[in-house]
Amino acid sequence: MSKTVTTLTAQELAERLGGTLEHCPPDRPISEVKPLEEAGASSVSFLANPKYAAKAKESAAGLIFVDATVDMGDRPLLRVKHPYWAFAQAIGWLHPEPTPAWGHESVHPTAKVGEACRIAPGATVGARTVLGKGCVLHPGVHVGDDCVLGEGCELFSGVVLYRRTRFGNRVTVHANSVVGSDGYGYVLVEGRHAKIPQVGWVEAGDDVEIGACVCIDRGVLGPTRIGTGTKIDNQVQVAHNVQVGNHCLLVAQSGISGSTRLGDYVTLAGKVGVVGHIEIGSRSVVGGNSVVAKSLPEGSFVTGFPARPHREWTEAQAALNRLPRLMKQLRKG
């Protein structure tokens, strides 16, 4: 897989960001941006929310962006005015977007196409991409650079896979779906919404089916994952860094916000909304038109806005339906 690698020293980052180094050698090489829990000696991460301070103190990051108010003991720090904005800029510098390797061929010469694959007129396959045995690409499909598709995958007309998308075997994607587009990430800096570069990818396991007009965003740094056997209906949105478990059912017009985790065998009925950074336990069911605003334990059955246990919601609805009659009786009495 092609990847552009850039390395900056801690001092170079400090100069670019106008920050101050503490407890960090100026010549320390920094080559990647990582979340606090995944960072290593050559990684930079950030702390913008005090509730993650303990995680930052335990992090092995070679450098952590913080603001002037944070006390991190002897951790290697770069104090900056806006840690989240510094994090965004560092992604752009250390993980730059590669230049597309376009040519005149519909299948790039460096791509590897397995036996019995069928690539229709108007379909394109990018550089270094690998198609497993028996894949079918319908007219108008675009598979970007550095993608990997397992055996027996089928992509219908208008499907777009952004670079570095990874599919298992027998993945089906229906017409006009987009997999691997930028996540919706911005930081407010001096009155303007500045973009957070999205340099991750999307992974889908074996036997995943993705409906028509579905959008699955790639991760900010790592992957957005769709587990084995999961079935996604039409017009579903899966945001960056979402982790969907195995054999889940995501029904039409549902939307999952960033960094949320779904266990195995979770069902989201039609038009369900899920907020970000929560967990929905395995074998949970969320009724149609519901909004999940907090984490749910395994085996939950919830409905409503905000979603709550289904029995509680039905009792509340029954009471609400009786309210006009009760009000009429009160006015008479």
Side-chain angles (χ1 to χ4, degrees):
M1 180 176 295
S2 175
K3 183 178 178 181
T4 302
V5 178
T6 301
T7 299
L8 297 171
T9 65
Q11 182 60 39
E12 287 172 331
L13 282 170
E15 291 172 357
R16 291 190 182 197
L17 295 167
T20 304
L21 286 173
E22 294 183 11
H23 312 295
C24 181
D27 60 350
R28 173 169 290 171
I30 302 294
S31 60
E32 61 181 1
V33 182
K34 286 282 189 180
L36 288 166
E37 63 274 17
E38 298 178 16
S42 62
S43 309
V44 63
S45 194
F46 78 105
L47 175 66
N49 190 327
K51 75 177 184 179
Y52 298 114
K55 186 179 291 187
K57 289 180 180 178
E58 296 172 357
S59 175
L63 187 62
I64 302 174
F65 296 142
V66 299
D67 64 24
T69 66
V70 172
D71 180 6
M72 294 287 293
D74 61 355
R75 300 295 296 123
L77 307 177
L78 177 55
R79 294 196 184 274
V80 292
K81 185 177 180 181
H82 299 293
Y84 194 30
W85 176 225
F87 165 80
Q89 293 178 87
I91 293 175
W93 296 329
L94 297 174
H95 302 272
E97 287 284 324
T99 302
W102 290 327
H104 297 292
E105 305 88 350
S106 60
V107 178
H108 195 276
T110 61
K112 296 180 180 179
V113 178
E115 62 179 286
C117 286
R118 289 182 290 159
I119 300 175
T124 57
V125 179
R128 299 170 299 279
T129 282
V130 177
L131 303 183
K133 178 181 178 181
C135 286
V136 179
L137 275 56
H138 289 254
V141 167
H142 172 67
V143 181
D145 297 343
D146 300 300
C147 294
V148 178
L149 278 64
E151 296 184 0
C153 293
E154 184 167 12
L155 311 182
F156 287 88
S157 295
V159 167
V160 174
L161 305 187
Y162 279 59
R163 65 183 183 86
R164 301 174 68 196
T165 296
R166 306 173 188 174
F167 283 171
N169 299 318
R170 301 173 301 280
V171 175
T172 300
V173 187
H174 291 277
N176 298 317
S177 288
V178 177
V179 178
S181 54
D182 276 7
Y184 191 73
Y186 300 89
V187 56
L188 187 62
V189 181
E190 298 178 355
R192 293 175 178 267
H193 294 289
K195 186 176 180 65
I196 307 296
Q198 313 284 300
V199 298
W201 62 93
V202 174
E203 297 178 358
D206 295 345
D207 301 305
V208 168
E209 184 160 5
I210 298 170
C213 299
V214 171
C215 297
I216 304 175
D217 295 342
R218 65 176 178 251
V220 179
L221 296 173
T224 299
R225 289 193 178 97
I226 309 297
T228 293
T230 286
K231 313 300 183 185
I232 302 178
D233 199 1
N234 301 335
Q235 297 182 323
V236 168
Q237 160 73 19
V238 180
H240 57 197
N241 294 104
V242 167
Q243 309 291 299
V244 177
N246 300 326
H247 306 291
C248 293
L249 300 175
L250 310 183
V251 184
Q253 298 183 36
S254 291
I256 308 173
S257 300
S259 298
T260 282
R261 293 176 175 269
L262 275 60
D264 299 334
Y265 296 97
V266 170
T267 298
L268 304 184
K271 295 187 177 180
V272 164
V274 183
V275 304
H277 299 271
I278 65 170
E279 296 187 13
I280 297 179
S282 294
R283 299 186 183 276
S284 293
V285 176
V286 182
N289 292 296
S290 300
V291 175
V292 183
K294 61 182 181 180
S295 293
L296 301 175
E298 291 189 10
S300 297
F301 178 22
V302 298
T303 46
F305 175 70
R308 48 188 160 166
H310 180 68
R311 184 181 182 89
E312 179 183 319
W313 179 80
T314 55
E315 290 174 349
Q317 288 299 113
L320 185 63
N321 291 337
R322 292 194 297 270
L323 188 58
R325 185 176 60 188
L326 293 173
M327 292 297 294
K328 187 180 292 186
Q329 290 173 350
L330 286 172
R331 283 194 292 268
K332 287 182 178 179

